[in-house]
Structures are given as C-alpha cells and as structure tokens.
Amino acid sequence: MNAVCADGPDEDCPRNGSDGSVLVIIGANPTVARAAASLPGELVHVQLPGAPALDSGTRVLTADFRDLPAFLAFTDEALRPLRPTAVVSLTEFGLEPAALAARRLGVTGVDPAVVHATRDKLAMRRILEREAPHLNPAFAAGDDAEAVDRLFAACGRAIAKPVDGVGSASIALVDGVDAVPADRRTAATLFEQFAEGREFSVEALSGGGRHTVIGIAEKGTADGFVEVSHMMPPPSLDPRRQELVARAVGELLDAIGLTDGPSHTEVMVDGDKTVVIETHTRLGGDGIADLVQLTTGVEWRRAALGWAIGAEVRRTTAAAAAAATVFLTARPGRVAAVAPQPALAQGRVHAWEVSVRPGDEVRPLRSSADRLGMAVLTAAGTEACVAAVAELTARPVVTTAPEPHL
C-alpha cells in the first residue's frame, strides 16, 4: 500500500491525466455534486426522476438507472453523443449501471465484474476462498442445507445477511442451526462465521493496480449491527496493525480485480488477524468522507470521482487531529422532546443534524434508516475524541414516550 497523495504532481498518485474531459456521474446527491464541481472538464449528472435538485447551472439528465435495460438504451441514445471520457457513481445502486455504461461506451469506469463481486456478498466470499482464504470467515449459502449445517456445527453461531443487502438491514446473529428461520434458507441469504474483534472501515484509492489507503475509521455498532459511530484515526489500531489492515485490503482488492477507483472495505481485526466483512467500489457513507477531509485534508469525494479523468488528488491542511460521526438513537415510541446541540467537555460539534421532531414515530433500530440524526465531532486527539463520542452517546438528545396501548 502507498502513502496518501499530497498536493502537486507525484508519481505514486493514481491518475490518468486529461483536460477537456466529459465526466458522467450517476446518482450524485447534492453533497457529491458540489464536490464534483471543482473537477476539470465538463460534468454531466444522471439523476433518478424526482431526485433532489442539484446546484443551478449543473447539466442534469434524468433516467431510471435502476432499470438496466432501459438505462443501457438511454446510454446509447443520450450519453454516447456526448462522447464522455468516463462514467462513474458513488451511490450503491448506481455502481453497476455506471460500470455497464462505461463498458458499453468503451470509456473509463470500473469493471462490471468487479462491481458484481462487491455487490454480491456470496460471490466475494467465493473469490476470497480461491485467492485469499485467510481473509475469509467460514461461510455457507443459505440454500445449501448441508453447508449451513456444517457451518453451525463448526462455529455454533453465525451471522445471517442478505447476499445483496445494504444499510445494515436484515443482519442477524443466529445462535444455532435450530434457530435459523425457514425464510433464511434461501439463495438470498449468506451465513458467515461470527468474527470476533473490533470493526474498522478502510477508504482506499487504486490506480494501475496500486492501492493507496486514504483513511481508516473505527466503527461502533448497536446490538443489531447498525452503525452508530465512526472515529478517525482509529483509537484501537496502532500503526503496526494499521499496516496489517492496509496489506489485507490490498490483498482483497487484488483478489477481486479492482485496479482503479475508490473502495470502502469493512474489516474485523482480532489481534493480528484481519477478516474482511465486505467491500464496495465507492467511498464510505455515514459522513466518513468528512472525517477523511477533517483529519487528513484529502478531498475524498472529489478524489473518488476525479480518478476517472486523471484529476489530481487535492489535499489541504487537516483541520483536526481526530474526528467522529455519531448517530442519534432513542427507544421506540413517539418523540417527546429534542434537546439542542450541546457543548461538549472534550472536543466540539462540527456539524449537527436531527431528523425528527416531537410527535414523530421512532422505530426499533433495525437498519441505518432508523437512526434519528448525526453529529460530526472534532477533537485534539484520539483520546479526546473517544471521550467526546462517549459523552454525546450518553446524552438523551431525543427522548421518547411509549406508544399507548390500544
């Protein structure tokens, strides 16, 4: 793995080099679109019908890229005449359409086979089983009854997850084969050995088969595996183990064949052992790009798009030694009160967003969509950041009243 790229030319930085380019971006949200606006060349955004408006002056085309046959026809009719240089996406449901459009047009993009290997979790497990088995937990396809029985006999308990799931939805810890629901014994479910240790997210940028780690965040999760915090740099990972994690991510990316573009990989680390949980050909969500920029100065959203047209990785002075995102949660019920943004004893609140008001329903925390808001914190160091996260997590920002029994 290579050191992160800094300002100015650097032979180690992934880039292709071009001006006067036409970059097509599939499914950008307003934040990604703003980051893209500083890239050289022309930008063309392809948005879903009814998607949030982008800044005025931005060229926007509308198409349902989730309908692949219709989108490929749109690619021929609307995108081909624009003679694009590259087609990319940073949104999960735009990754495959962007890759297929780039392949169809013969322009720069991520290999569709690589995107498929990251979006199909069983396919990724089978690739690692062949190429880097030490990065895999034991696993079984849900419709392979004998393999499922062997997995539980060997491991006792396992994680059940959708093969194509996103947003921490429908992930469950199953304590024994007798507890496996019938609706999980299908090809849509993957069972994996429960991996011990702490979980981390790794942001990387690849160029010509060389993989550069941009940042590593330590993840906090609720009992149901929903992510409730990210801290960067990772407090529990010393420099030696950071290098071990970087090496493991490089092996993973080599195994699946990713040579160019961004990646977001989730790993579990137990001592010196690193197990891959999943990977994606995009940057991480949950404000991780903001943590990268705050702690390293790298404009990660811009870099995760600009690689395809050879734009340099832009890096400014880091604003903080450590930073974190913290997600607000509350017990199920109706929102009774929402506290104002607090002042913290250690660290400070860089950004604050609460998505509920009194009277709103709070559902059980089963996926990322059930979270109630997010804060971005900065601190003078990792210890102060840990303390700030703990302080905010302990505060009842959103309080609820139980639903009355009818």
Side-chain angles (χ1 to χ4, degrees), residues 63-376:
D64 188 353
F65 49 79
R66 298 166 301 186
D67 181 344
L68 284 178
F71 178 69
L72 292 179
F74 169 86
T75 297
D76 290 333
E77 296 165 8
L79 297 184
R80 190 179 297 278
L82 301 177
R83 302 182 65 184
T85 307
V87 184
V88 296
S89 182
L90 295 184
T91 185
E92 185 68 24
F93 296 110
L95 298 175
E96 186 174 8
L100 291 170
R103 171 65 60 84
R104 193 177 187 91
L105 297 173
V107 302
T108 299
V110 180
D111 185 338
V114 174
V115 176
H116 175 76
T118 63
R119 299 207 68 238
D120 183 327
K121 294 176 174 59
L122 179 58
M124 185 200 72
R125 288 291 171 221
R126 287 172 171 163
I127 290 171
L128 288 182
E129 187 176 36
R130 295 192 306 268
E131 304 292 335
H134 57 287
L135 300 179
N136 250 355
F139 69 96
D143 60 346
D144 186 338
E146 291 185 0
V148 171
D149 289 346
R150 286 196 302 271
L151 176 65
F152 278 95
C155 303
R157 58 181 182 166
I159 300 293
K161 61 174 65 174
V163 168
D164 60 353
V166 296
S168 304
S170 300
I171 299 176
L173 178 62
V174 182
D175 289 311
V177 70
D178 293 338
V180 177
D183 62 359
R184 291 283 192 155
R185 288 185 175 271
T186 71
T189 295
L190 172 66
F191 290 94
E192 297 178 348
Q193 176 185 2
F194 179 78
E196 303 285 352
R198 293 182 180 270
E199 193 168 359
F200 302 88
S201 296
V202 184
E203 307 297 295
L205 184 63
S206 301
R210 302 179 69 186
H211 313 298
T212 301
V213 166
I214 303 297
I216 302 176
E218 184 164 343
K219 182 188 300 188
T221 58
D223 291 341
F225 304 103
V226 177
E227 297 166 4
V228 292
S229 68
H230 302 275
M231 283 186 276
M232 187 177 289
S236 302
L237 210 58
D238 60 36
R240 184 181 68 83
R241 287 190 173 88
Q242 288 187 39
E243 179 56 34
L244 292 178
V245 167
R247 191 178 309 160
V249 169
E251 290 180 87
L252 161 72
L253 299 178
D254 286 342
I256 64 173
L258 181 66
T259 58
D260 299 274
S263 59
H264 164 71
T265 304
E266 297 170 9
V267 299
M268 194 71 76
V269 178
D270 187 16
D272 286 352
K273 182 176 177 57
T274 299
V275 171
V276 171
I277 303 302
E278 58 185 54
T279 191
H280 307 267
T281 54
R282 56 167 173 78
L283 48 68
D286 283 357
I288 287 177
D290 298 314
L291 303 187
V292 170
Q293 185 156 354
L294 286 167
T295 61
T296 72
V298 173
E299 297 181 20
W300 184 212
R301 293 183 183 90
R302 183 183 188 275
L305 297 166
W307 70 271
I309 56 170
E312 293 181 353
V313 176
R314 209 156 68 177
R315 180 177 183 177
T316 58
T317 302
T325 53
V326 178
F327 295 90
L328 307 178
T329 63
R331 292 182 177 179
R334 291 282 170 184
V335 176
V338 177
Q341 175 181 318
L344 301 176
Q346 297 200 55
R348 71 179 189 89
V349 178
H350 176 80
W352 181 263
E353 179 182 353
V354 182
S355 57
V356 293
R357 298 179 300 177
D360 287 348
E361 179 187 10
V362 174
R363 301 186 300 266
L365 188 63
R366 296 195 178 103
S367 77
S368 300
D370 298 320
R371 300 176 304 195
L372 310 178
M374 181 180 80
V376 179

Side-chain angles (χ1 to χ4, degrees), residues 45-71:
H45 288 281
V46 178
Q47 299 291 92
L48 292 172
L54 304 183
D55 292 342
S56 60
T58 301
R59 184 170 186 174
V60 178
L61 305 178
T62 301
D64 188 353
F65 49 79
R66 298 166 301 186
D67 181 344
L68 284 178
F71 178 69

